[in-house]
Amino acid sequence: MIQLIAFYLFAIVVIASGALTILARNPVHSVLWLILAFFNAAGLMVLVGAEFIAMLLVIVYVGAVAVLFLFVVMMLNIDFAELRAGVMRYAAIGLLLALALVAEIIVAIGAWSAGGLQLGRRIAPIDAGVPNIEAIGQLLYSRYLFVFEGAGLVLLVAMIGAIVLTWRQRSDVRPQNISRQINRRSKDATRNMNPPVGQGVEL
């Protein structure tokens, strides 16, 4: 009974916060509602026994992605009135996407009403005494080790490519000469002046 109450509580909050993420006019509020949706989705994952996915939702999505969205939205000077002016041009595309999402929800409801997943017929069944994180680690670092390393290399190349594409050589910025700063003597950096009374210092 407690699990059922927790499930409906998390599910209602996820749906409500997801709707408020879309309907909120303030983009900062939208990101905050999105963070709330991630937290409650993590609670749902804990209820079904997928604590590793719940940890990923909290650490990766809430701790990195959502906070990054929040800082980007707060720092960018976006003219939202101008963005809303051309929203009707994409009304047809938005309607098609909404219909596709409704069709997916109908299929998901039909699959849910057909019955639950029998754990004994899983493609990769695990021992009930082995935690999910340990089972994922054993499989990831044994059978799929090279695939995991390849994914890391792909992410590294993507990060380097993003840095290269956004790098701009600015001519109005004076470069820093570290060796010149280290070798600079104190008598070259300061100068004693004795200006007359009522006059300032000429630089």
Side-chain angles (χ1 to χ4, degrees):
M1 188 64 183
I2 297 177
Q3 292 182 354
L4 187 62
I5 295 174
F7 170 77
Y8 282 111
L9 177 63
F10 287 138
I12 290 172
V13 175
V14 165
I15 295 173
S17 57
L20 290 173
T21 301
I22 301 172
L23 298 176
R25 295 186 177 182
N26 192 331
V28 177
H29 296 168
S30 296
V31 178
L32 294 177
W33 285 117
L34 181 63
I35 293 174
L36 181 62
F38 284 150
F39 267 116
N40 288 273
L44 289 175
M45 293 297 105
V46 171
L47 288 179
V48 298
E51 64 273 6
F52 181 73
I53 299 178
M55 184 180 65
L56 288 181
L57 281 172
V58 174
I59 295 177
V60 177
Y61 286 93
V62 176
V65 178
V67 175
L68 178 63
F69 286 167
L70 183 61
F71 278 105
V72 169
V73 168
M74 291 174 65
M75 287 189 296
L76 291 180
N77 188 14
I78 302 175
D79 189 1
F80 292 98
E82 183 180 354
L83 293 178
R84 295 192 189 97
V87 71
M88 293 305 298
R89 293 182 300 174
Y90 305 101
I93 299 175
L95 182 60
L96 290 176
L97 291 176
L99 292 176
L101 289 175
V102 170
E104 290 181 353
I105 292 173
I106 293 173
V107 172
I109 293 174
W112 175 75
S113 61
L117 177 65
Q118 296 183 8
L119 300 180
R121 296 183 180 180
R122 287 181 176 179
I123 298 177
I126 61 174
D127 188 8
V130 178
N132 290 335
I133 299 177
E134 183 178 348
I136 292 174
Q138 290 176 355
L139 191 63
L140 192 63
Y141 292 106
S142 59
R143 183 175 180 180
Y144 299 104
L145 177 62
F146 295 107
V147 179
F148 179 74
E149 295 293 336
L153 290 176
V154 170
L155 292 175
L156 177 62
V157 171
M159 182 180 66
I160 295 174
I163 295 173
V164 171
L165 290 175
T166 56
W167 173 260
R168 295 291 182 272
Q169 187 70 30
R170 297 181 58 181
S171 59
D172 57 341
V173 177
R174 195 166 56 177
Q176 182 181 11
N177 192 342
I178 299 177
S179 62
R180 183 180 176 185
Q181 292 177 353
I182 294 175
N183 296 326
R184 189 175 186 181
R185 297 177 299 179
S186 59
K187 64 180 182 180
D188 297 333
T190 58
R191 183 173 56 176
N192 295 326
M193 302 291 294
N194 189 13
V197 178
Q199 296 184 6
V201 178
E202 295 182 1
L203 299 177

